[in-house]
Amino acid sequence: MARASESIHGIWATRLTFILAATGSAVGLGNIWKFPYIAGENGGGAFVLVYLACIALVGVPIMMAEVMLGRRGRQSPINAMRDLAAEAGAHRLWGLLGWVGAVAGFLILSYYSVIAGWALEYIFLMGNGTFTGAEGDLAGATFKDMTGDPGQLVFWHTVFIFMTMFVVARGVNRGLEAAVRILMPALFILLFILVGYALSTGHFAAGLEFLFRFDTEHLSWNSLIIAMGHAFFTLSLGMGAIMMYGAYMPKTASIGATVLTVAALDTLVALVAGMAIFPIVFANGLEPGAGPGLMFVTLPLAFGNMAFGEFFGVLFFVLVTFAAWSSSISLIEPAVAWLVERFGANRMWASIVLGLLVWSLGMGTVFSFNIWSDWTLFGMTFFDTLDFLTANIMLPLGGVAIAVFVGFLMAKETVAEEIGMRSAVLAAAWKFVLRYVSPAAVMIIFFITMYNYFAG
């Protein structure tokens, strides 16, 4: 089968641009509100070492395979997997892998946009002094009032969807590329400014102790499962985004070196975020935590009771918004690219149509926190159902399918041509890990998650 030399949508100008784009896709809310806490709670430095091993054995091999599929196919994941399955002589059902990724990204964006909208509102809440001198009850009540008000959530959800589709509508070079060239350097600058602020709290050492102490006593088999899960999910695998970005990757760029750089930057952001967050938390005598409670209750309370807290609180939520924005544009890009390819649609109209569909589906998540909060399916709200379906079923199974397809079904010559490893030993090691270690690890995560849900 003749292969297209480049995507009809465009090509990243440089390898660095791909690194920024892929890092932007990988860096999201989980880097800021989840990883620092789970590292601190599961052995600090010991957990970080285990996590890095999991990145090497789970995240990086599958990410290399997904980037390779994208660059080989040079189309949206839906069309790329259809053609690559035919090229490999595999059953045409393998083409559905592209659909799984694109649909997962679409579904994730529908609720991710609502959560990102919270960060937008908190930029203004911090800026107008809502949390200045606040006590715990006020921070908690403010968050509860916000999520309980469908009008507020709809407004900020709408704003964030518009921000996302505005970038995507402008195309690969004028939209995605231009955005990541601004967002990612700005994100790193904001992070290091916040670390500088954390240094002034007098509790920086306590934050480092929580995050990096080498404590094997708190390292357990459950810690390993947590590390494997986060190593997979943090790199945006299985949702079509990395495959789509791979389609725009220059032919001359090294997939292995590039993916390792992305994984390193993603981990760096998570660790530096912890170095910025926990000194601020400890300086106010607050308990560290994870999830929305850390970001929208604990940290606003901390910023509200510190010198220059309003200013740095605004910077923090701008940082969160940038992280979410860089991820969101990658989530919808596969679906937009497919509409352009399949129907010859104008990119702007494709973005408008999909933006409206995502926005409409997001209403279910908005109402999950207020007027539909009592409606559940198997004990889960609409939001919880989407989250469970995508994070616990679609993405893990998609990641395993990618590993199996590249590891067992694609021709050896095709894989060798695209992956371009100079070392035969490294190439053989990657192929072995991709075939046996990575899918086994992801399936362990999958089955444990299913067991915990249904047994619980």
Side-chain angles (χ1 to χ4, degrees), residues 207-229:
L208 292 183
E209 169 72 13
F210 177 75
L211 192 58
F212 293 111
R213 73 189 187 284
F214 201 88
D215 180 9
T216 55
E217 290 186 7
H218 286 84
L219 197 62
S220 63
W221 285 110
N222 188 56
S223 302
L224 175 61
I225 299 301
I226 292 171
M228 285 196 301

Side-chain angles (χ1 to χ4, degrees), residues 300-441:
L301 181 63
F303 281 122
N305 287 278
M306 300 181 72
F308 308 108
E310 290 179 13
F311 174 74
F312 287 100
V314 168
L315 287 188
F316 174 78
F317 284 104
V318 169
L319 164 72
V320 172
T321 300
F322 281 6
W325 196 5
S326 63
S327 294
S328 69
I329 59 178
S330 72
L331 290 171
I332 197 63
E333 176 63 17
V336 170
W338 178 75
L339 274 186
V340 172
E341 293 165 2
R342 176 65 178 82
F343 299 105
N346 175 283
R347 192 176 177 93
M348 177 174 290
W349 282 108
S351 300
I352 291 172
V353 168
L354 285 169
L356 288 172
L357 290 174
V358 172
W359 180 87
S360 300
L361 185 61
M363 291 300 101
T365 294
V366 166
F367 300 144
S368 292
F369 295 99
N370 36 75
I371 59 178
W372 287 0
S373 60
D374 293 330
W375 178 89
T376 59
L377 179 66
F378 300 113
M380 296 185 288
T381 65
F382 183 88
F383 162 66
D384 292 331
T385 301
L386 282 186
D387 183 40
F388 183 84
L389 174 65
T390 53
N392 298 312
I393 297 177
M394 298 179 75
L395 299 190
L397 295 183
V400 169
I402 287 169
V404 170
F405 183 81
V406 174
F408 290 99
L409 299 181
M410 289 187 77
K412 294 179 181 178
E413 298 76 15
T414 301
V415 174
E417 175 190 342
E418 287 297 333
I419 211 69
M421 283 190 181
R422 295 180 180 178
S423 169
V425 174
L426 285 177
W430 169 72
K431 192 75 172 282
F432 176 83
V433 171
L434 182 70
R435 279 182 164 187
Y436 305 108
V437 180
S438 300

Side-chain angles (χ1 to χ4, degrees), residues 131-157:
F131 299 103
T132 302
E135 297 185 0
D137 290 345
L138 175 63
T142 301
F143 180 64
K144 185 177 180 180
D145 289 345
M146 178 191 70
T147 55
D149 184 346
Q152 278 185 286
L153 297 191
V154 169
F155 175 77
W156 292 113
H157 168 54

Side-chain angles (χ1 to χ4, degrees), residues 235-274:
L235 294 177
S236 297
L237 304 177
M239 60 183 72
I242 295 301
M243 195 184 300
M244 191 73 254
Y245 279 7
Y248 308 148
M249 187 179 186
K251 180 68 176 176
T252 55
S254 166
I255 290 178
T258 302
V259 167
L260 285 172
T261 303
V262 172
L265 288 174
D266 178 72
T267 304
L268 177 65
V269 168
L271 293 174
V272 174

Side-chain angles (χ1 to χ4, degrees), residues 90-120:
H91 196 284
R92 64 181 182 180
L93 285 178
W94 281 98
L96 293 177
L97 178 56
W99 278 101
V100 171
V103 171
F106 181 92
L107 296 178
I108 291 169
L109 180 57
S110 74
Y111 61 81
Y112 196 79
S113 172
V114 176
I115 310 302
W118 301 352
L120 284 172

Side-chain angles (χ1 to χ4, degrees), residues 177-196:
E177 187 171 294
V180 298
R181 283 177 177 269
I182 296 171
L183 289 177
M184 295 316 295
L187 186 147
F188 278 99
I189 291 169
L190 288 172
L191 257 183
F192 284 104
I193 289 174
L194 287 167
V195 169

